[in-house]
Amino acid sequence: MARHSCCAKQKLRKGLWSPEEDEKLYNYITRFGVGCWSSVPKLAGLQRCGKSCRLRWINYLRPDLKRGMFSQEEEDLIIHLHKILGNRWAQIASQLPGRTDNEIKNFWNSCLKKKLMKQGIDPQTHQPIISQSQNFGSNNNNNNNNYYEQQQFKTPTITQTIFQEVPENNTTSPLKTHLPFAVSYQSLLRDIINPNQYLQTSMSVSELPSLENLERENCGILSSECFSQSIMFSAESKECSTSSSNTVINNNSSINSNSNNIAAFPWENSDDHSKYELGFFEQAGNYGMIKIEGSSSWGEEQLKSISLSDDLTAAADDGSFDVFLQHM
DNA sequence: AAATAGCGCAACCGCGCGATA
DNA sequence: ATATCGCGCGGTTGCGCTATT
């Protein structure tokens, strides 16, 4: 059943907002806060629908908006996040403080897409456009303007693991309850690494780091300077064959595209890979930690302590997944 | 100077989802 | 169990500015 437009039923204003309307909305929200948007227009004295008010506030009036040109760091981050998340603008925007999903979407469509295409990169797949890249020919080979060439040292690379095979009688697996996280990490790797390579990957446990807990208050969003930790992952797929090659993502070469170590995690429900949480890597003592920005899909208890070693130790026994944290 | 093409951006639209009656 | 409502999201549209002819 087609729904009527929220503005069509009543005689509500549409189009550009006047300064007076902005003022009314701004004054109302700053005074009473964001609550039920459908009641905002009436209470603020506006001839608009709630949806329109919400959009105007989020995209324009919010005081924490950054505005202005995107920095090179922001640009790199958007490209990297888009590679992982696709057109999930809201998720991408959540990692760029002061930027809105609409702003990023517009920036992508008007600038970044063209920039990548100019460099012979398909903006949807982030893979080189083979036929076109040949056409770009000598220009492309000789210049260093290609984002992926510039970022070469930062893009995910897969090398042979240094880890040993797990002894058959390994019984270390204290935390089965964290399995959902392990499943998430497994999915993370599948999405970030070349999927085919992932499925051929088997892994082993050589060492299980001691467990460390982080307090909830330490799990907030961190400044970019914090994320220079080197983290090594090693993954095993249940459905894989008996291949014994191991995989390491070395975060020195890195999952991320700039100084923020950011990774995407499919939601806890491992069947649904269409929704992601974004997490940060950080060093904690001798071990790396993953910190997840809190949101609805992560319970308070889960946020209190998300330790790679905990979660993945749990998965080790299950035979599905392991992560190793590199000592610095 | 006028016409028009191109571009960036703000805002709208329709859909899906979760909450609630 | 179903209908309705509100919200959030991604896609799309169209306005206004600037560059080009």
Side-chain angles (χ1 to χ4, degrees):
Chain A
M1 186 177 73
R3 294 191 190 192
H4 59 77
S5 162
C6 60
C7 304
K9 211 175 182 181
Q10 305 147 38
K11 278 189 176 177
L12 298 176
R13 265 180 60 82
K14 286 168 71 176
L16 294 178
W17 280 65
S18 68
E20 291 75 25
E21 286 178 307
D22 280 345
E23 195 183 346
K24 280 182 183 176
L25 181 60
Y26 183 84
N27 288 339
Y28 177 81
I29 299 294
T30 48
R31 190 168 170 201
F32 300 106
V34 174
C36 176
W37 283 110
S38 57
S39 60
V40 165
K42 199 176 178 185
L43 295 170
L46 290 160
Q47 299 290 101
R48 294 269 180 178
C49 68
K51 218 171 176 177
S52 180
C53 293
R54 176 183 158 271
L55 212 63
R56 186 63 179 171
W57 174 258
I58 288 173
N59 288 335
Y60 189 80
L61 295 175
R62 251 168 55 195
D64 59 329
L65 289 179
K66 198 180 258 181
R67 304 183 195 279
M69 300 276 285
F70 282 83
S71 67
Q72 188 57 50
E73 286 73 26
E74 287 177 313
E75 192 176 305
D76 292 345
L77 185 55
I78 291 167
I79 293 171
H80 176 65
L81 290 172
H82 187 273
K83 186 180 180 183
I84 299 171
L85 298 168
N87 293 359
R88 296 186 180 91
W89 305 115
Q91 300 245 17
I92 293 171
S94 71
Q95 301 309 314
L96 286 106
R99 302 294 189 183
T100 70
D101 54 350
N102 207 34
E103 194 178 11
I104 292 169
K105 179 172 59 183
N106 285 334
F107 182 53
W108 176 266
N109 286 328
S110 60
C111 290
L112 292 182
K113 238 166 136 177
K114 289 168 195 166
K115 210 168 182 177
L116 289 179
M117 284 174 79
K118 238 180 180 175
Q119 295 167 356
I121 303 292
D122 183 329
Q124 279 313 307
T125 64
H126 292 257
Q127 300 298 316
I129 304 166
I130 303 300
S131 57
Q132 285 185 22
S133 64
Q134 286 166 349
N135 292 340
F136 281 94
S138 54
N139 282 345
N140 219 32
N141 292 336
N142 295 332
N143 71 29
N144 200 25
N145 291 330
N146 186 309
Y147 169 81
Y148 289 94
E149 285 174 18
Q150 288 176 5
Q151 302 294 325
Q152 193 175 19
F153 66 102
K154 295 174 180 174
T155 50
T157 57
I158 299 172
T159 60
Q160 285 298 112
T161 184
I162 58 169
F163 296 119
Q164 306 298 312
E165 287 292 332
V166 191
E168 286 279 331
N169 60 355
N170 179 10
T171 56
T172 342
S173 168
L175 293 166
K176 279 182 178 296
T177 54
H178 286 72
L179 188 57
F181 285 109
V183 172
S184 291
Y185 296 133
Q186 190 175 26
S187 303
L188 154 72
L189 286 180
R190 188 190 55 215
D191 286 346
I192 290 180
I193 308 172
N194 178 327
N196 298 328
Q197 187 154 3
Y198 171 74
L199 289 173
Q200 292 164 7
T201 298
S202 173
M203 64 83 50
S204 57
V205 176
S206 64
E207 151 190 34
L208 294 166
S210 62
L211 307 179
E212 287 193 47
N213 290 338
L214 282 186
E215 294 305 315
R216 173 72 181 88
E217 51 269 27
N218 292 333
C219 288
I221 300 173
L222 304 170
S223 64
S224 58
E225 299 80 50
C226 299
F227 306 120
S228 56
Q229 162 68 3
S230 171
I231 299 176
M232 299 211 308
F233 291 81
S234 189
E236 176 180 12
S237 167
K238 270 194 218 171
E239 53 272 56
C240 74
S241 65
T242 54
S243 162
S244 61
S245 67
N246 293 320
T247 298
V248 168
I249 304 169
N250 187 338
N251 224 28
N252 281 331
S253 30
S254 160
I255 281 170
N256 62 320
S257 65
N258 67 6
S259 57
N260 294 309
N261 286 346
I262 292 173
F265 299 86
W267 282 17
E268 215 173 315
N269 172 6
S270 60
D271 292 333
D272 181 4
H273 295 131
S274 65
K275 294 178 177 176
Y276 290 79
E277 293 294 340
L278 293 176
F280 299 93
F281 297 108
E282 190 207 28
Q283 184 177 354
N286 286 332
Y287 303 111
M289 303 291 288
I290 281 185
K291 291 189 176 185
I292 308 293
E293 186 184 349
S295 81
S296 56
S297 70
W298 299 89
E300 192 69 15
E301 281 304 306
Q302 292 163 336
L303 275 170
K304 278 184 183 169
S305 170
I306 301 168
S307 160
L308 280 182
S309 49
D310 287 13
D311 305 336
L312 297 157
T313 298
D317 187 57
D318 179 68
S320 62
F321 190 77
D322 295 291
V323 165
F324 300 91
L325 308 172
Q326 184 181 34
H327 289 252
M328 299 297 285

